[in-house]
Amino acid sequence: MDFGVVLQADPPAARVVEVARQAELYGFSHAWTFDSHLLWQEPYVIYSQILANTRNLVVGPMVTNPATRDWTVTASLYATLNEMFGNRTICGIGRGDSSVRVINGKPVTLAQLRESIEVIRPLANGEQVEYKGNLLRFPWAIRSELPIWVAAYGPKALALAGEVGDGFILQLADPDITAWSIAAVRKAAADVGRDPADVKICVAAPAYITDGSDQSHAHAIDQCRWFGGMVGNHVADIVRRYGADGAAIPTALSDYIADRDAYDYNSHGRADKDHASFVPDDIVERFCLIGTAERHVERLRELESLGVDQFAVYLQHDAKDETLAAYGNKVMPQIQVRATARI
């Protein structure tokens, strides 16, 4: 299993670059960031500095969307970074949440998401595409290689991920929902003649290491409660489309938003704001990884057994440095067992 870290592009940008650099030293393979241009700083500018200050780290958004940038601009950003730093980018993409809703926009349709992928990926890879009635390509991007991983929750979005995604991103770590989601993605891939194993699986969620005490555990839950609020934005969209009777989506995913009220995007992704009080403790426990380092290893092994290829750690809480160090020194070495020199 690979490990990624998910950062907010909060100023100072130098701090984001430094955390990413430290993550690579601890053994993380990917550095992801939020992509919401009004709430945080522009991630693609920061990626260039992360890449310049690391050796192997792969960077990308978790997640971008087709609405806030022209698709050819998005493709050019990746192709340029790949030319400069040797194919170390990845594109996580979805329908859009905070980046579009803060400016009173709406998430794009799944049809638009599919169409954007069919433009961004080949164009970023130096191939010819048809766009707005023109045949276009980047003649300078012949060596660029960009994988696109699709973020999804609902049945139709999961199908899209399986049909066209190089990878699938699930932003929660509940084992039952993870198993259901992976099965849907793999079935969709097989249905269109793809090898389901070709679709990489990424689970992303907050991780908080505790000392084993009840007090530490309760504090960790409060620090990670924001995540249930963020996921609730997407779940609310799905419930409006499919209903909450369990026929189309698991009730484990839909029931907890029954008491959800308006969502404050000024507090999006922030642990220090009380905008997710509707999220019960058990949802935080299921969606996130909370507990001692040994408990994290147990949860990660369970996710790995379900087919998860990467776990990406959201670091939006008050123990960023401690979590990064604990994963690098205590958790990841137990998951990524090194081969012995002498057999």
Side-chain angles (χ1 to χ4, degrees), residues 53-258:
N53 285 274
T54 57
R55 293 177 177 148
N56 300 298
L57 204 66
V58 176
V59 301
M62 187 173 286
V63 297
T64 193
N65 67 86
T68 53
R69 297 179 184 87
D70 185 89
W71 303 343
T72 61
V73 172
T74 299
S76 182
L77 288 166
Y78 287 109
T80 301
L81 290 172
N82 282 342
E83 190 279 325
M84 293 174 68
F85 300 105
N87 291 330
R88 290 166 56 199
T89 66
I90 188 168
C91 177
I93 194 167
R95 295 176 58 225
D97 182 29
S98 63
S99 55
V100 293
R101 286 182 162 127
V102 167
I103 55 176
N104 291 329
K106 294 181 179 180
V108 302
T109 66
L110 289 174
Q112 290 170 318
L113 178 57
R114 181 189 296 270
E115 186 180 358
S116 73
I117 293 169
E118 292 171 347
V119 170
I120 294 169
R121 181 170 51 200
L123 194 58
N125 291 342
E127 300 171 18
Q128 178 180 284
V129 301
E130 183 176 350
Y131 182 66
K132 296 185 178 180
N134 295 303
L135 292 177
L136 306 172
R137 68 174 181 175
F138 300 141
W140 43 268
I142 56 174
R143 294 183 180 85
S144 178
E145 297 177 6
L146 174 69
I148 292 188
W149 291 17
V150 180
Y153 291 106
K156 292 183 179 179
L158 292 169
L160 176 64
E163 290 165 3
V164 304
D166 298 299
F168 158 58
I169 297 171
L170 177 64
Q171 290 164 298
L172 56 81
D174 177 86
D176 292 337
I177 297 173
T178 299
W180 173 80
S181 302
I182 292 174
V185 169
R186 287 178 170 167
K187 179 182 183 302
D191 286 347
V192 296
R194 302 183 68 193
D195 183 348
D198 288 343
V199 184
K200 298 298 182 182
I201 308 295
C202 174
V203 163
Y208 201 110
I209 303 287
T210 70
D211 62 13
S213 68
D214 291 342
Q215 182 180 8
S216 174
H217 197 84
H219 177 75
I221 288 176
D222 283 340
Q223 283 291 303
C224 296
R225 198 179 306 277
W226 67 268
F227 184 69
M230 184 188 80
V231 172
N233 294 330
H234 303 284
V235 175
D237 286 343
I238 298 169
V239 168
R240 281 191 289 269
R241 179 182 295 267
Y242 296 103
D245 59 3
I249 59 174
T251 55
L253 184 59
S254 59
D255 281 355
Y256 85 96
I257 68 164

Side-chain angles (χ1 to χ4, degrees), residues 7-61:
L7 308 172
Q8 286 176 342
D10 266 332
R15 165 68 172 167
V16 182
V17 174
E18 179 58 21
V19 173
R21 191 185 71 82
Q22 289 293 328
E24 182 181 51
L25 294 178
Y26 280 124
F28 287 81
S29 61
H30 289 67
W32 305 86
T33 72
F34 287 43
D35 179 12
S36 196
H37 57 289
L38 286 171
L39 299 181
W40 301 290
Q41 293 178 315
E42 171 57 41
Y44 291 98
V45 177
I46 296 174
Y47 295 157
S48 67
Q49 290 300 302
I50 293 176
L51 291 167
N53 285 274
T54 57
R55 293 177 177 148
N56 300 298
L57 204 66
V58 176
V59 301

